[in-house]
Amino acid sequence: MFPYIVRRLLIAIPVLFGVTVFSFFIVNLAPGNPVEMFISPDATQADIELKKEALGLNDPIYVQYWRWLQNLLQGDFGYSFSTYAPVGEMVASRILPTLLLMGSALLLAYIFAIPIGVISATRQYSWIDYLTTGFSFMGISIPNFFLGLGLIYLFAVQWQILPSGGMNTLGGDGGFGDTIMHLLLPAFVLATGIAGSMVRYVRSSMLEILGQDYLRTARSKGLREFLVVNKHAFRNALIPIITVIGMDIPLLIGGAVVTEQIFQWPGLGQLTIQSILSRDYPTLMAINFIAAITVLLSNLLADILYSVADPRIKYN
C-alpha cells in the first residue's frame, strides 16, 4: 500500500502543474482589469499604466506565470491586488471556517442519508421507500441559494430563532454555542443536496447486493436479518458509496461558494466571490491550487478506503 501511495503522490505533481497552468491562463484571460477595479476614478492613463507595471501585469502572461510558480515553490502565494495583504495569510484565516462548515455538512448528510438509503432498499416499493425517494429528489432539485434564502426568511426573519448570517454575533463572546447557532442553517443547506444524492446511491447499491446468492445462504443458515443487511450486505455495497464520498468532498467547495455568500460565512467560498469581483488574480490562484489539492487527496483517500472496505482489493 505504501509504495502505491507514494506513486500516486508523485503522479499528482505533474497533474497539479497542469492545473496551475490552465487556471492561471483562464484567470488572466477573464475580462476586466484588476487595476481599474480599485484605482482612483480621477486617475490618468499614465497612473494606470504605472500601477500595472508595478504589479507586473504588463509582462507576457508566461512570464507572469513563471514568476508566480517560483514564488509558489518557495511557499509564497504573493500579495492580494485589492488588499495588499499576503495571500497566504488571507487564505489561512478562511480555511478553518470552510472546513468547519464542510465537515459539519458532510457529517450531517451521511448520518441521515446512509441509514435512510439502507432502509429504503430493504423496504423496496413500500410507502417508506416512496417517501424517502421523494424527499431525496427534492434535496437534489432545490438550489442552494433558494433553500438558503427560504430558511433565512423563516428562521431569522419570521421566527427569529436563528441568526441570518456570519460566524459569530457582533459584540458577542464568540463562544462555541454562538458558532453552532450560526452554523446550523448553512450546514443544513449544504447537507440537503449531499444527502439527497447519497440516499439514491446507497439504495441502488444495496438493492444490487441484496439479491446476491450468498445473502440467501446467510438467511438459510438462520442469521438474523439485521446481521444479514448491516454486516454482510452493507459492507459489500460500500465500494460505490465510497466513490460518491470521494466526489462529494471537492464538490462541497463549489457548493460552499454560493452558500457562504448567502450566509456571509467567512470562508474560502466568500473569499472566492470577493476575489472574482475585484479581479484579485493571486488570491484566485491560491484558492484554485487548494481546490486541486483537495480533489487529488480525496481521490487518493477513496482508493485507500476501497482496500479497507474490501480486503480482496490489493494495490501492487
Side-chain angles (χ1 to χ4, degrees), residues 160-208:
Q160 298 183 1
I161 57 177
L162 289 174
S164 62
M167 188 173 175
N168 297 109
T169 303
L170 292 177
D173 58 357
F176 177 76
D178 185 46
T179 302
I180 292 298
M181 294 295 289
H182 285 78
L183 178 65
L184 287 176
L185 289 183
F188 179 80
V189 169
L190 279 176
T192 300
I194 302 169
S197 61
M198 179 58 71
V199 168
R200 302 299 301 156
Y201 280 111
V202 173
R203 179 183 182 275
S204 176
S205 183
M206 285 293 295
L207 286 176
E208 184 178 350

mmCIF file of all heavy atoms in Angstrom, residues 160-208:
data_model
loop_
_atom_site.group_PDB
_atom_site.id
_atom_site.type_symbol
_atom_site.label_atom_id
_atom_site.label_comp_id
_atom_site.label_asym_id
_atom_site.label_seq_id
_atom_site.Cartn_x
_atom_site.Cartn_y
_atom_site.Cartn_z
ATOM 1 N N GLN A 160 -37.286 34.350 14.088
ATOM 2 C CA GLN A 160 -36.189 34.980 14.825
ATOM 3 C C GLN A 160 -35.590 34.054 15.895
ATOM 4 O O GLN A 160 -35.364 34.438 17.042
ATOM 5 C CB GLN A 160 -36.659 36.288 15.468
ATOM 6 C CG GLN A 160 -37.118 37.316 14.461
ATOM 7 C CD GLN A 160 -37.519 38.628 15.095
ATOM 8 O OE1 GLN A 160 -37.445 38.795 16.303
ATOM 9 N NE2 GLN A 160 -37.956 39.575 14.279
ATOM 10 N N ILE A 161 -35.323 32.812 15.472
ATOM 11 C CA ILE A 161 -34.726 31.857 16.409
ATOM 12 C C ILE A 161 -33.291 31.506 16.031
ATOM 13 O O ILE A 161 -32.565 30.922 16.838
ATOM 14 C CB ILE A 161 -35.563 30.566 16.499
ATOM 15 C CG1 ILE A 161 -35.731 29.924 15.115
ATOM 16 C CG2 ILE A 161 -36.906 30.843 17.132
ATOM 17 C CD1 ILE A 161 -36.495 28.608 15.159
ATOM 18 N N LEU A 162 -32.879 31.857 14.807
ATOM 19 C CA LEU A 162 -31.510 31.596 14.369
ATOM 20 C C LEU A 162 -30.967 32.844 13.671
ATOM 21 O O LEU A 162 -31.732 33.605 13.070
ATOM 22 C CB LEU A 162 -31.462 30.401 13.407
ATOM 23 C CG LEU A 162 -31.699 29.015 13.997
ATOM 24 C CD1 LEU A 162 -31.751 27.969 12.896
ATOM 25 C CD2 LEU A 162 -30.633 28.655 15.025
ATOM 26 N N PRO A 163 -29.668 33.078 13.744
ATOM 27 C CA PRO A 163 -29.088 34.242 13.060
ATOM 28 C C PRO A 163 -29.133 34.080 11.547
ATOM 29 O O PRO A 163 -29.141 32.966 11.027
ATOM 30 C CB PRO A 163 -27.641 34.272 13.579
ATOM 31 C CG PRO A 163 -27.368 32.868 14.016
ATOM 32 C CD PRO A 163 -28.666 32.312 14.509
ATOM 33 N N SER A 164 -29.151 35.202 10.848
ATOM 34 C CA SER A 164 -29.273 35.173 9.391
ATOM 35 C C SER A 164 -27.945 34.983 8.687
ATOM 36 O O SER A 164 -27.916 34.607 7.510
ATOM 37 C CB SER A 164 -29.913 36.471 8.891
ATOM 38 O OG SER A 164 -29.093 37.579 9.234
ATOM 39 N N GLY A 165 -26.839 35.230 9.349
ATOM 40 C CA GLY A 165 -25.551 35.080 8.677
ATOM 41 C C GLY A 165 -24.398 35.359 9.609
ATOM 42 O O GLY A 165 -24.573 35.691 10.793
ATOM 43 N N GLY A 166 -23.189 35.218 9.044
ATOM 44 C CA GLY A 166 -21.983 35.402 9.838
ATOM 45 C C GLY A 166 -21.598 34.128 10.564
ATOM 46 O O GLY A 166 -22.287 33.104 10.501
ATOM 47 N N MET A 167 -20.474 34.207 11.271
ATOM 48 C CA MET A 167 -19.999 33.059 12.034
ATOM 49 C C MET A 167 -20.166 33.272 13.536
ATOM 50 O O MET A 167 -20.270 32.320 14.292
ATOM 51 C CB MET A 167 -18.529 32.794 11.700
ATOM 52 C CG MET A 167 -17.965 31.521 12.268
ATOM 53 S SD MET A 167 -16.285 31.201 11.649
ATOM 54 C CE MET A 167 -15.867 29.732 12.617
ATOM 55 N N ASN A 168 -20.202 34.539 13.960
ATOM 56 C CA ASN A 168 -20.405 34.893 15.363
ATOM 57 C C ASN A 168 -21.234 36.162 15.439
ATOM 58 O O ASN A 168 -21.263 36.964 14.503
ATOM 59 C CB ASN A 168 -19.065 35.100 16.089
ATOM 60 C CG ASN A 168 -18.211 33.850 16.135
ATOM 61 O OD1 ASN A 168 -17.192 33.773 15.452
ATOM 62 N ND2 ASN A 168 -18.612 32.865 16.911
ATOM 63 N N THR A 169 -21.887 36.363 16.560
ATOM 64 C CA THR A 169 -22.680 37.562 16.790
ATOM 65 C C THR A 169 -21.760 38.748 17.043
ATOM 66 O O THR A 169 -20.814 38.642 17.837
ATOM 67 C CB THR A 169 -23.623 37.358 17.985
ATOM 68 O OG1 THR A 169 -24.456 36.221 17.735
ATOM 69 C CG2 THR A 169 -24.492 38.591 18.196
ATOM 70 N N LEU A 170 -22.029 39.858 16.361
ATOM 71 C CA LEU A 170 -21.230 41.060 16.569
ATOM 72 C C LEU A 170 -21.370 41.542 18.003
ATOM 73 O O LEU A 170 -22.481 41.712 18.518
ATOM 74 C CB LEU A 170 -21.677 42.164 15.605
ATOM 75 C CG LEU A 170 -21.393 41.919 14.118
ATOM 76 C CD1 LEU A 170 -21.968 43.060 13.277
ATOM 77 C CD2 LEU A 170 -19.899 41.795 13.871
ATOM 78 N N GLY A 171 -20.246 41.746 18.659
ATOM 79 C CA GLY A 171 -20.265 42.181 20.045
ATOM 80 C C GLY A 171 -20.474 41.064 21.037
ATOM 81 O O GLY A 171 -20.496 41.303 22.247
ATOM 82 N N GLY A 172 -20.652 39.832 20.554
ATOM 83 C CA GLY A 172 -20.848 38.704 21.450
ATOM 84 C C GLY A 172 -19.532 38.126 21.926
ATOM 85 O O GLY A 172 -18.441 38.610 21.604
ATOM 86 N N ASP A 173 -19.639 37.036 22.696
ATOM 87 C CA ASP A 173 -18.431 36.417 23.250
ATOM 88 C C ASP A 173 -17.741 35.491 22.248
ATOM 89 O O ASP A 173 -16.609 35.065 22.472
ATOM 90 C CB ASP A 173 -18.766 35.637 24.524
ATOM 91 C CG ASP A 173 -19.819 34.559 24.283
ATOM 92 O OD1 ASP A 173 -20.326 34.451 23.138
ATOM 93 O OD2 ASP A 173 -20.136 33.826 25.238
ATOM 94 N N GLY A 174 -18.434 35.183 21.125
ATOM 95 C CA GLY A 174 -17.825 34.308 20.124
ATOM 96 C C GLY A 174 -17.594 32.896 20.618
ATOM 97 O O GLY A 174 -16.658 32.220 20.166
ATOM 98 N N GLY A 175 -18.445 32.424 21.522
ATOM 99 C CA GLY A 175 -18.271 31.103 22.100
ATOM 100 C C GLY A 175 -18.723 29.982 21.185
ATOM 101 O O GLY A 175 -19.237 30.208 20.071
ATOM 102 N N PHE A 176 -18.561 28.743 21.683
ATOM 103 C CA PHE A 176 -18.896 27.559 20.898
ATOM 104 C C PHE A 176 -20.380 27.517 20.566
ATOM 105 O O PHE A 176 -20.768 27.222 19.426
ATOM 106 C CB PHE A 176 -18.484 26.309 21.679
ATOM 107 C CG PHE A 176 -18.848 25.022 20.990
ATOM 108 C CD1 PHE A 176 -18.117 24.566 19.920
ATOM 109 C CD2 PHE A 176 -19.935 24.266 21.426
ATOM 110 C CE1 PHE A 176 -18.445 23.385 19.274
ATOM 111 C CE2 PHE A 176 -20.273 23.082 20.800
ATOM 112 C CZ PHE A 176 -19.520 22.648 19.724
ATOM 113 N N GLY A 177 -21.228 27.827 21.549
ATOM 114 C CA GLY A 177 -22.671 27.783 21.313
ATOM 115 C C GLY A 177 -23.111 28.795 20.281
ATOM 116 O O GLY A 177 -23.987 28.514 19.444
ATOM 117 N N ASP A 178 -22.517 29.978 20.316
ATOM 118 C CA ASP A 178 -22.862 31.014 19.338
ATOM 119 C C ASP A 178 -22.466 30.582 17.930
ATOM 120 O O ASP A 178 -23.210 30.804 16.969
ATOM 121 C CB ASP A 178 -22.150 32.315 19.719
ATOM 122 C CG ASP A 178 -22.558 33.477 18.830
ATOM 123 O OD1 ASP A 178 -23.763 33.654 18.594
ATOM 124 O OD2 ASP A 178 -21.661 34.194 18.351
ATOM 125 N N THR A 179 -21.294 29.955 17.805
ATOM 126 C CA THR A 179 -20.847 29.473 16.494
ATOM 127 C C THR A 179 -21.777 28.386 15.962
ATOM 128 O O THR A 179 -22.098 28.358 14.767
ATOM 129 C CB THR A 179 -19.408 28.938 16.581
ATOM 130 O OG1 THR A 179 -18.552 29.966 17.065
ATOM 131 C CG2 THR A 179 -18.910 28.479 15.221
ATOM 132 N N ILE A 180 -22.216 27.493 16.846
ATOM 133 C CA ILE A 180 -23.123 26.416 16.426
ATOM 134 C C ILE A 180 -24.436 26.991 15.918
ATOM 135 O O ILE A 180 -24.978 26.524 14.898
ATOM 136 C CB ILE A 180 -23.374 25.447 17.591
ATOM 137 C CG1 ILE A 180 -22.101 24.672 17.926
ATOM 138 C CG2 ILE A 180 -24.496 24.469 17.249
ATOM 139 C CD1 ILE A 180 -21.590 23.808 16.800
ATOM 140 N N MET A 181 -24.958 28.010 16.583
ATOM 141 C CA MET A 181 -26.215 28.617 16.141
ATOM 142 C C MET A 181 -26.070 29.231 14.744
ATOM 143 O O MET A 181 -26.986 29.141 13.919
ATOM 144 C CB MET A 181 -26.647 29.695 17.143
ATOM 145 C CG MET A 181 -27.011 29.146 18.512
ATOM 146 S SD MET A 181 -28.469 28.065 18.479
ATOM 147 C CE MET A 181 -29.755 29.264 18.167
ATOM 148 N N HIS A 182 -24.914 29.833 14.458
ATOM 149 C CA HIS A 182 -24.676 30.402 13.133
ATOM 150 C C HIS A 182 -24.414 29.311 12.090
ATOM 151 O O HIS A 182 -24.613 29.539 10.896
ATOM 152 C CB HIS A 182 -23.489 31.369 13.176
ATOM 153 C CG HIS A 182 -23.784 32.680 13.821
ATOM 154 N ND1 HIS A 182 -23.856 32.845 15.189
ATOM 155 C CD2 HIS A 182 -24.045 33.904 13.280
ATOM 156 C CE1 HIS A 182 -24.130 34.107 15.473
ATOM 157 N NE2 HIS A 182 -24.250 34.772 14.335
ATOM 158 N N LEU A 183 -23.946 28.157 12.551
ATOM 159 C CA LEU A 183 -23.569 27.072 11.639
ATOM 160 C C LEU A 183 -24.773 26.264 11.153
ATOM 161 O O LEU A 183 -24.725 25.668 10.069
ATOM 162 C CB LEU A 183 -22.562 26.153 12.337
ATOM 163 C CG LEU A 183 -22.054 24.921 11.601
ATOM 164 C CD1 LEU A 183 -21.235 25.335 10.376
ATOM 165 C CD2 LEU A 183 -21.211 24.052 12.530
ATOM 166 N N LEU A 184 -25.842 26.237 11.928
ATOM 167 C CA LEU A 184 -26.950 25.323 11.653
ATOM 168 C C LEU A 184 -27.546 25.506 10.254
ATOM 169 O O LEU A 184 -27.683 24.526 9.505
ATOM 170 C CB LEU A 184 -28.043 25.505 12.715
ATOM 171 C CG LEU A 184 -27.726 24.960 14.109
ATOM 172 C CD1 LEU A 184 -28.844 25.300 15.089
ATOM 173 C CD2 LEU A 184 -27.512 23.455 14.054
ATOM 174 N N LEU A 185 -27.894 26.709 9.893
ATOM 175 C CA LEU A 185 -28.568 26.928 8.599
ATOM 176 C C LEU A 185 -27.661 26.638 7.404
ATOM 177 O O LEU A 185 -28.059 25.886 6.510
ATOM 178 C CB LEU A 185 -29.120 28.354 8.531
ATOM 179 C CG LEU A 185 -30.331 28.658 9.414
ATOM 180 C CD1 LEU A 185 -30.812 30.083 9.184
ATOM 181 C CD2 LEU A 185 -31.461 27.674 9.160
ATOM 182 N N PRO A 186 -26.444 27.208 7.327
ATOM 183 C CA PRO A 186 -25.616 26.894 6.154
ATOM 184 C C PRO A 186 -25.236 25.421 6.057
ATOM 185 O O PRO A 186 -25.164 24.861 4.960
ATOM 186 C CB PRO A 186 -24.376 27.785 6.331
ATOM 187 C CG PRO A 186 -24.368 28.168 7.760
ATOM 188 C CD PRO A 186 -25.789 28.206 8.189
ATOM 189 N N ALA A 187 -24.984 24.764 7.210
ATOM 190 C CA ALA A 187 -24.645 23.345 7.175
ATOM 191 C C ALA A 187 -25.832 22.519 6.692
ATOM 192 O O ALA A 187 -25.661 21.563 5.916
ATOM 193 C CB ALA A 187 -24.212 22.874 8.565
ATOM 194 N N PHE A 188 -27.041 22.886 7.109
ATOM 195 C CA PHE A 188 -28.231 22.160 6.659
ATOM 196 C C PHE A 188 -28.443 22.333 5.163
ATOM 197 O O PHE A 188 -28.808 21.382 4.464
ATOM 198 C CB PHE A 188 -29.457 22.661 7.429
ATOM 199 C CG PHE A 188 -30.740 21.993 7.018
ATOM 200 C CD1 PHE A 188 -31.070 20.742 7.499
ATOM 201 C CD2 PHE A 188 -31.617 22.614 6.132
ATOM 202 C CE1 PHE A 188 -32.243 20.106 7.112
ATOM 203 C CE2 PHE A 188 -32.790 22.000 5.745
ATOM 204 C CZ PHE A 188 -33.100 20.748 6.240
ATOM 205 N N VAL A 189 -28.214 23.543 4.646
ATOM 206 C CA VAL A 189 -28.382 23.795 3.213
ATOM 207 C C VAL A 189 -27.416 22.934 2.407
ATOM 208 O O VAL A 189 -27.799 22.300 1.410
ATOM 209 C CB VAL A 189 -28.179 25.288 2.906
ATOM 210 C CG1 VAL A 189 -28.091 25.520 1.402
ATOM 211 C CG2 VAL A 189 -29.318 26.110 3.490
ATOM 212 N N LEU A 190 -26.150 22.905 2.796
ATOM 213 C CA LEU A 190 -25.170 22.089 2.085
ATOM 214 C C LEU A 190 -25.475 20.601 2.226
ATOM 215 O O LEU A 190 -25.316 19.831 1.280
ATOM 216 C CB LEU A 190 -23.762 22.376 2.616
ATOM 217 C CG LEU A 190 -23.056 23.619 2.087
ATOM 218 C CD1 LEU A 190 -21.723 23.796 2.783
ATOM 219 C CD2 LEU A 190 -22.857 23.539 0.583
ATOM 220 N N ALA A 191 -25.905 20.191 3.412
ATOM 221 C CA ALA A 191 -26.156 18.772 3.660
ATOM 222 C C ALA A 191 -27.368 18.259 2.891
ATOM 223 O O ALA A 191 -27.424 17.064 2.564
ATOM 224 C CB ALA A 191 -26.361 18.534 5.158
ATOM 225 N N THR A 192 -28.322 19.116 2.592
ATOM 226 C CA THR A 192 -29.552 18.674 1.925
ATOM 227 C C THR A 192 -29.262 18.064 0.558
ATOM 228 O O THR A 192 -29.743 16.972 0.232
ATOM 229 C CB THR A 192 -30.522 19.860 1.771
ATOM 230 O OG1 THR A 192 -30.840 20.378 3.065
ATOM 231 C CG2 THR A 192 -31.800 19.412 1.084
ATOM 232 N N GLY A 193 -28.483 18.753 -0.252
ATOM 233 C CA GLY A 193 -28.161 18.229 -1.578
ATOM 234 C C GLY A 193 -27.320 16.975 -1.514
ATOM 235 O O GLY A 193 -27.521 16.023 -2.289
ATOM 236 N N ILE A 194 -26.347 16.945 -0.585
ATOM 237 C CA ILE A 194 -25.491 15.763 -0.437
ATOM 238 C C ILE A 194 -26.317 14.558 0.005
ATOM 239 O O ILE A 194 -26.179 13.455 -0.529
ATOM 240 C CB ILE A 194 -24.372 16.040 0.579
ATOM 241 C CG1 ILE A 194 -23.534 17.234 0.143
ATOM 242 C CG2 ILE A 194 -23.486 14.816 0.768
ATOM 243 C CD1 ILE A 194 -22.591 17.716 1.213
ATOM 244 N N ALA A 195 -27.176 14.773 0.986
ATOM 245 C CA ALA A 195 -27.991 13.668 1.497
ATOM 246 C C ALA A 195 -28.948 13.148 0.429
ATOM 247 O O ALA A 195 -29.171 11.933 0.323
ATOM 248 C CB ALA A 195 -28.774 14.133 2.723
ATOM 249 N N GLY A 196 -29.513 14.043 -0.364
ATOM 250 C CA GLY A 196 -30.441 13.608 -1.400
ATOM 251 C C GLY A 196 -29.805 12.657 -2.397
ATOM 252 O O GLY A 196 -30.369 11.599 -2.721
ATOM 253 N N SER A 197 -28.610 12.997 -2.868
ATOM 254 C CA SER A 197 -27.931 12.116 -3.826
ATOM 255 C C SER A 197 -27.405 10.860 -3.145
ATOM 256 O O SER A 197 -27.436 9.773 -3.726
ATOM 257 C CB SER A 197 -26.789 12.868 -4.504
ATOM 258 O OG SER A 197 -25.833 13.300 -3.558
ATOM 259 N N MET A 198 -26.941 10.987 -1.905
ATOM 260 C CA MET A 198 -26.394 9.819 -1.206
ATOM 261 C C MET A 198 -27.467 8.767 -0.950
ATOM 262 O O MET A 198 -27.202 7.560 -1.048
ATOM 263 C CB MET A 198 -25.745 10.266 0.107
ATOM 264 C CG MET A 198 -25.160 9.125 0.937
ATOM 265 S SD MET A 198 -23.917 8.151 0.060
ATOM 266 C CE MET A 198 -22.571 9.313 -0.015
ATOM 267 N N VAL A 199 -28.672 9.178 -0.605
ATOM 268 C CA VAL A 199 -29.767 8.219 -0.406
ATOM 269 C C VAL A 199 -29.984 7.398 -1.669
ATOM 270 O O VAL A 199 -30.152 6.165 -1.606
ATOM 271 C CB VAL A 199 -31.067 8.961 -0.011
ATOM 272 C CG1 VAL A 199 -32.264 8.021 -0.093
ATOM 273 C CG2 VAL A 199 -30.955 9.511 1.401
ATOM 274 N N ARG A 200 -29.954 8.034 -2.820
ATOM 275 C CA ARG A 200 -30.161 7.326 -4.079
ATOM 276 C C ARG A 200 -29.036 6.328 -4.343
ATOM 277 O O ARG A 200 -29.274 5.201 -4.775
ATOM 278 C CB ARG A 200 -30.253 8.327 -5.234
ATOM 279 C CG ARG A 200 -31.342 9.365 -5.095
ATOM 280 C CD ARG A 200 -32.711 8.730 -5.041
ATOM 281 N NE ARG A 200 -32.965 7.947 -6.240
ATOM 282 C CZ ARG A 200 -33.833 6.947 -6.304
ATOM 283 N NH1 ARG A 200 -34.501 6.579 -5.221
ATOM 284 N NH2 ARG A 200 -34.020 6.291 -7.426
ATOM 285 N N TYR A 201 -27.791 6.732 -4.090
ATOM 286 C CA TYR A 201 -26.665 5.839 -4.333
ATOM 287 C C TYR A 201 -26.669 4.652 -3.373
ATOM 288 O O TYR A 201 -26.415 3.508 -3.774
ATOM 289 C CB TYR A 201 -25.343 6.605 -4.196
ATOM 290 C CG TYR A 201 -24.978 7.412 -5.415
ATOM 291 C CD1 TYR A 201 -24.997 8.802 -5.381
ATOM 292 C CD2 TYR A 201 -24.612 6.785 -6.600
ATOM 293 C CE1 TYR A 201 -24.666 9.544 -6.501
ATOM 294 C CE2 TYR A 201 -24.275 7.525 -7.722
ATOM 295 C CZ TYR A 201 -24.304 8.900 -7.676
ATOM 296 O OH TYR A 201 -23.978 9.623 -8.781
ATOM 297 N N VAL A 202 -26.946 4.917 -2.086
ATOM 298 C CA VAL A 202 -26.976 3.823 -1.109
ATOM 299 C C VAL A 202 -28.093 2.849 -1.440
ATOM 300 O O VAL A 202 -27.907 1.620 -1.400
ATOM 301 C CB VAL A 202 -27.158 4.394 0.315
ATOM 302 C CG1 VAL A 202 -27.354 3.265 1.321
ATOM 303 C CG2 VAL A 202 -25.942 5.226 0.717
ATOM 304 N N ARG A 203 -29.251 3.360 -1.778
ATOM 305 C CA ARG A 203 -30.383 2.491 -2.125
ATOM 306 C C ARG A 203 -30.050 1.627 -3.329
ATOM 307 O O ARG A 203 -30.289 0.410 -3.331
ATOM 308 C CB ARG A 203 -31.620 3.347 -2.412
ATOM 309 C CG ARG A 203 -32.857 2.544 -2.808
ATOM 310 C CD ARG A 203 -34.014 3.486 -3.145
ATOM 311 N NE ARG A 203 -35.212 2.733 -3.479
ATOM 312 C CZ ARG A 203 -35.493 2.242 -4.687
ATOM 313 N NH1 ARG A 203 -34.625 2.412 -5.681
ATOM 314 N NH2 ARG A 203 -36.608 1.571 -4.902
ATOM 315 N N SER A 204 -29.510 2.229 -4.388
ATOM 316 C CA SER A 204 -29.183 1.481 -5.594
ATOM 317 C C SER A 204 -28.120 0.420 -5.327
ATOM 318 O O SER A 204 -28.223 -0.725 -5.795
ATOM 319 C CB SER A 204 -28.705 2.451 -6.681
ATOM 320 O OG SER A 204 -28.294 1.767 -7.836
ATOM 321 N N SER A 205 -27.093 0.791 -4.555
ATOM 322 C CA SER A 205 -26.021 -0.156 -4.262
ATOM 323 C C SER A 205 -26.516 -1.317 -3.408
ATOM 324 O O SER A 205 -26.159 -2.478 -3.635
ATOM 325 C CB SER A 205 -24.877 0.579 -3.560
ATOM 326 O OG SER A 205 -23.791 -0.277 -3.308
ATOM 327 N N MET A 206 -27.372 -1.021 -2.426
ATOM 328 C CA MET A 206 -27.900 -2.070 -1.566
ATOM 329 C C MET A 206 -28.826 -3.005 -2.333
ATOM 330 O O MET A 206 -28.800 -4.234 -2.119
ATOM 331 C CB MET A 206 -28.638 -1.448 -0.382
ATOM 332 C CG MET A 206 -27.733 -0.858 0.681
ATOM 333 S SD MET A 206 -26.760 -2.104 1.561
ATOM 334 C CE MET A 206 -28.049 -3.024 2.378
ATOM 335 N N LEU A 207 -29.651 -2.472 -3.211
ATOM 336 C CA LEU A 207 -30.553 -3.321 -3.988
ATOM 337 C C LEU A 207 -29.785 -4.310 -4.854
ATOM 338 O O LEU A 207 -30.215 -5.456 -5.046
ATOM 339 C CB LEU A 207 -31.460 -2.454 -4.870
ATOM 340 C CG LEU A 207 -32.586 -1.705 -4.162
ATOM 341 C CD1 LEU A 207 -33.334 -0.808 -5.136
ATOM 342 C CD2 LEU A 207 -33.557 -2.693 -3.506
ATOM 343 N N GLU A 208 -28.649 -3.872 -5.379
ATOM 344 C CA GLU A 208 -27.833 -4.770 -6.198
ATOM 345 C C GLU A 208 -27.257 -5.910 -5.367
ATOM 346 O O GLU A 208 -27.144 -7.041 -5.845
ATOM 347 C CB GLU A 208 -26.714 -3.970 -6.856
ATOM 348 C CG GLU A 208 -25.857 -4.791 -7.807
ATOM 349 C CD GLU A 208 -24.791 -3.952 -8.478
ATOM 350 O OE1 GLU A 208 -24.837 -2.705 -8.347
ATOM 351 O OE2 GLU A 208 -23.908 -4.527 -9.140
#
